[in-house]
Amino acid sequence: MKKFVEGSHAIAEIIAKCRPGVISAYPITPQTHIVEGLAKLIADGELDAEFINVESEHSAASVVLGASATGVRVYTATSSQGLLLMAEVLFNIAGMRLPVVLTCANRAVSAPINIWNDHQDSMTVRDSGWIQFYAENIQEAIDLHVIAYKVAEDKRISLPALVGIDGYVLTHAFEVVDMPEEDQVQSFLPPLDPVVKLDPDDPKSMGLLGAPDVYMETRYAIAKTMEDALGVIKEASEAYSQVVGRKVGGLVEAYRVEDAEKVLVAMGSLVGTIKDVVDELREKGEKVGVLKIITYRPFPKDEIYEALKGAKYVGVVEKAVSLGADSPLFSEVASLLYKKGADAKVNSFTVGLGGRDISPAQIRQIFQEVEKDEGESRFIGLNEKLLEA
Amino acid sequence: MAGVVADPKRHLLASGHTACAGCGQAIAARIVANAAGPKTIISNATGCLEVFTTKAPQSAWRVAWIHSLFENAAAVASGIEAALRYLGRIDEVKVIAQGGDGGTADIGMGALSGMLERGHGILYVCYDNEAYMNTGVQRSGLTPLDSNTTTSPVGKRSHGNPRPKKPLLEIAVAHNIPYAASASVAYPADIERKVKKALEYKGPKFLQIHVPCPLGWRHDPSLTVEIARLAVETGLYPLVEYENGKVVSVRKVKVKPVEEYLKLQGRFRHLLKEPEVLEEVRKVAQANIEKYGLAI
Ligand SMILES: Cc1ncc(C[n+]2csc(CCOP(=O)(O)OP(=O)(O)O)c2C)c(N)n1
Ligand SMILES: [Mg+2]
């Protein structure tokens, strides 16, 4: 059904259609509207679930951990400081192979305190064993949540999944979306059938001490499962596309890259701006394109290489930094292209930190600068006056 | 004996784990599990108990059991309880959260407070061995006054831990919960009774059990029960029971001098040579005796 909705309410609605039994969250801007929406759906009797209002994000993540371990589908959402406060539990959830689904309304990290969008929060937990998706728009955010549950709960995978949606840019924006019907979601997403669960009728111990004789194998197993998840995500995306009659999900979206000499790589809502500039430059005959990374963990190496192998210049445009080193997505793309022996020159562009506006002019500038080989990460859109001060 | 089922094969915390000889926590945890029975799910904090019972691929637990982290046993249990409510199994399955004094009164205090305040049907059990034992006897908020630990060492300018124990039981009671009690491994029948009684109440309940640690307290492993009993008999560890905020029972004692308890433990040995400092410990016991009317 087509409807005009706020991003957060669209997510609340699709989560309700996924029928989680336990939801737990702690308020933080810009995640709040999502969980408020769910609380209201439960209060109105439209969703049959336990909503646990906790005293911290650490406990929100711990509550969904406990409920998931008991064999119930769960949901939580957070942002920024909240995600970092959860970090310890996030690693734990992945290590215990629990199919928790979390929305990260992406927001910058303090200090200075800043409630606006960038990707530093979820990029900081990229090594935790969670599958990570990033949405370009509200429609994609809706669809990725359903795919997230499907993949996370797939017995071949059994790992948690995070869906990153840009704070404010998507959470507080309104868009006309195609909201799937409840029975479409239900047919695609059968009730959770957990691999192991806490049950007095078949008592198991979970979360054992893993000494040096077993620990490394648990990590290897997750690394291997992540590789398998690439195929399962593709499979789930294709199956769900059939259900809703649109092309949804997937690992990457290559936009006008076939003959492109210059390709930018990006994640999230930023891709929309880049696509507009790509169209504009294409009109002028420039051979440019953009590669959107939808699935960031597992990192879809083959698809990224396929999309970039013909390019002369690649620019990685990202909303996160690794202070003291190159920005994270750039490091991964550059290392991948180097290993595969691609010819492209790769450059790093950090943009939009703490909600700094990203204009089409900046993207045009990046398409020019991508040819220059400066060999260092460039911050685009800095205010020179502030730097002097 | 209480909490000891006739057939050791039916102990819900099986033998063969790797606890030290004389570990009070191992004895108390077995009594708690047996008293709760097999239809129980336990959420266990990081600490000695978790480490000595579950080295992969083995587990000493015969009940459904989960360990997540150090400070979140109460929150994980909250999720388990919520899931059981969602599944319609809450009347049939009991939920216990348990952890050490550090995992409960310090790093897990927020999660415990949240669990108590939200009214989950969970029994929280704190095994109070009065320091962070698993990491090598560092002081916690439940370490007693003047105890010599590795982070409150005795020295030229120190008599040991500078503060008395945090009033954890009273903090739990202040959450308006239906049941809260203290217990001691010296009184197994009392632990069993309190666990069973607690589990009859709906909502959150809290039990704090005094469990000597021979390694950390530096006493002979054969003295675990005797030392635990002396803590009660000197007034240093009052055994009390609260129902709906009111004291409903107190274990009365023929009060013994605190020295009898202190002298058996290396952690307090320095006190016997310092009469003024010893006096401070005596005051702690005296305050308990007066507060709860402990003396026979
Ligand atoms: C967040 C975090 N901080 C610190 C630790 C290290 N740690 C593990 S067990 C423990 C001590 C546990 O003390 P207590 O809760 O009193 O239990 P005990 O071992 O004494 O039974 C500590 C400090 C940890 N695992 N996690
Ligand atoms: Mg302890």
Side-chain angles (χ1 to χ4, degrees), chain B residues 245-264:
Chain B
K246 298 217 166 49
V247 177
V248 293
S249 89
V250 168
R251 177 169 290 269
K252 302 254 186 187
V253 291
K254 241 180 110 218
V255 179
K256 293 187 173 164
V258 294
E259 291 91 324
E260 289 199 23
Y261 172 65
L262 303 176
K263 72 181 182 198
L264 297 175

Side-chain angles (χ1 to χ4, degrees), chain A residues 58 88, chain B residues 25 45-52 67 69-71 99-105 107 127-136 138 140 211 213:
Chain A
H58 196 285
E88 189 196 22
Chain B
Q25 184 167 205
T46 308
C48 284
L49 177 59
E50 161 265 321
V51 170
F52 72 66
H67 158 253
L69 293 163
F70 188 22
E71 65 276 52
D101 47 292
T104 304
I107 199 166
Y127 299 99
D128 183 8
N129 57 20
E130 307 195 309
Y132 295 112
M133 296 312 182
N134 190 49
T135 37
Q138 295 83 19
S140 80
V211 287
C213 167

Side-chain angles (χ1 to χ4, degrees), chain A residues 210-237:
Chain A
D213 56 340
V214 303
Y215 182 89
M216 207 157 154
E217 285 73 13
T218 66
R219 283 294 173 275
Y220 177 79
I222 297 178
K224 278 286 156 204
T225 303
M226 277 284 183
E227 283 175 23
D228 298 343
L230 289 166
V232 175
I233 292 166
K234 272 208 261 185
E235 191 185 296
S237 300

Side-chain angles (χ1 to χ4, degrees), chain A residues 19-22 48-50 52-56 58-73 88-90 92 96 98 197-211 213-214, chain B residues 38-42 50-51 54-72 75-87 89 92-93 110-115 117-118 120:
Chain A
R19 299 271 156 200
V22 174
D48 174 27
E50 300 291 331
I52 309 299
N53 277 302
V54 279
E55 77 297 337
S56 75
H58 196 285
S59 283
S62 301
V63 163
V64 293
L65 182 159
S68 181
T70 313
V72 170
R73 182 172 293 153
E88 189 196 22
V89 194
L90 299 180
N92 209 251
M96 294 172 87
L98 298 171
K197 64 173 178 185
L198 294 168
D199 184 355
D201 298 336
D202 178 20
K204 296 254 162 48
S205 294
M206 296 175 74
L208 308 197
L209 171 77
D213 56 340
V214 303
Chain B
K39 281 267 181 184
T40 305
I41 300 177
I42 295 179
E50 161 265 321
V51 170
T54 61
K55 184 183 172 300
Q58 293 179 317
S59 168
W61 296 96
R62 293 201 180 102
V63 283
W65 182 96
I66 185 169
H67 158 253
S68 168
L69 293 163
F70 188 22
E71 65 276 52
N72 70 353
V76 170
S78 300
I80 293 167
E81 188 257 13
L84 290 170
R85 263 188 283 144
Y86 176 74
L87 295 169
R89 296 190 71 188
E92 161 209 347
V93 182
L112 172 63
S113 176
M115 177 208 114
E117 170 268 317
R118 290 189 299 268
H120 294 279

Side-chain angles (χ1 to χ4, degrees), chain A residues 79-345:
Chain A
S79 295
S80 178
Q81 309 309 125
L83 191 76
L84 296 194
L85 190 56
M86 283 183 181
E88 189 196 22
V89 194
L90 299 180
F91 278 78
N92 209 251
I93 288 170
M96 294 172 87
R97 310 294 300 253
L98 298 171
V100 173
V101 169
L102 176 153
T103 307
C104 180
N106 286 111
R107 162 181 157 181
V109 170
S110 291
I113 188 165
N114 174 300
I115 59 170
W116 293 272
N117 168 244
D118 69 34
H119 289 169
Q120 194 65 52
D121 48 9
S122 49
M123 291 299 275
T124 301
V125 297
R126 66 189 180 274
D127 301 332
S128 61
W130 283 60
I131 291 165
Q132 284 200 0
F133 300 108
Y134 289 84
E136 180 189 340
N137 48 44
I138 299 172
Q139 182 69 62
E140 192 165 48
I142 294 171
D143 297 329
L144 285 174
H145 281 90
V146 184
I147 292 168
Y149 274 114
K150 184 76 171 180
V151 175
E153 293 175 2
D154 189 304
K155 284 199 155 76
R156 294 168 291 177
I157 305 301
S158 207
L159 281 175
L162 174 152
V163 182
I165 66 166
D166 286 330
Y168 288 118
V169 183
L170 298 182
T171 55
H172 289 57
F174 280 74
E175 199 179 287
V176 176
V177 297
D178 177 27
M179 178 63 70
E181 302 302 329
E182 173 119 21
D183 55 351
Q184 290 180 305
V185 178
Q186 297 294 304
S187 68
F188 177 68
L189 196 64
L192 172 64
D193 177 21
V195 179
V196 274
K197 64 173 178 185
L198 294 168
D199 184 355
D201 298 336
D202 178 20
K204 296 254 162 48
S205 294
M206 296 175 74
L208 308 197
L209 171 77
D213 56 340
V214 303
Y215 182 89
M216 207 157 154
E217 285 73 13
T218 66
R219 283 294 173 275
Y220 177 79
I222 297 178
K224 278 286 156 204
T225 303
M226 277 284 183
E227 283 175 23
D228 298 343
L230 289 166
V232 175
I233 292 166
K234 272 208 261 185
E235 191 185 296
S237 300
E238 279 156 25
Y240 191 53
S241 299
Q242 294 285 315
V243 173
V244 293
R246 288 180 280 108
K247 195 182 157 350
V248 299
L251 301 172
V252 301
E253 181 195 342
Y255 186 78
R256 306 188 85 165
V257 303
E258 304 76 38
D259 60 339
E261 285 176 2
K262 299 177 183 176
V263 180
L264 300 187
V265 181
M267 305 199 294
S269 62
L270 162 65
V271 174
T273 312
I274 302 179
K275 281 178 178 170
D276 285 349
V277 175
V278 164
D279 290 344
E280 175 197 309
L281 296 178
R282 281 272 176 184
E283 291 267 295
K284 294 182 186 150
E286 293 191 37
K287 291 187 169 172
V288 294
V290 56
L291 176 68
K292 172 171 82 175
I293 296 182
I294 304 168
T295 302
Y296 173 58
R297 283 290 180 274
F299 197 59
K301 289 185 196 157
D302 291 344
E303 286 71 13
I304 294 173
Y305 175 69
E306 270 310 305
L308 299 181
K309 68 178 184 205
K312 268 196 184 145
Y313 305 104
V314 171
V316 180
V317 190
E318 63 193 301
K319 292 181 180 176
V321 285
S322 172
L323 298 171
D326 286 328
S327 293
L329 184 58
F330 165 76
S331 302
E332 295 182 32
V333 172
S335 126
L336 165 69
L337 293 182
Y338 173 78
K339 274 198 290 193
K340 298 252 188 192
D343 297 329
K345 223 171 224 152

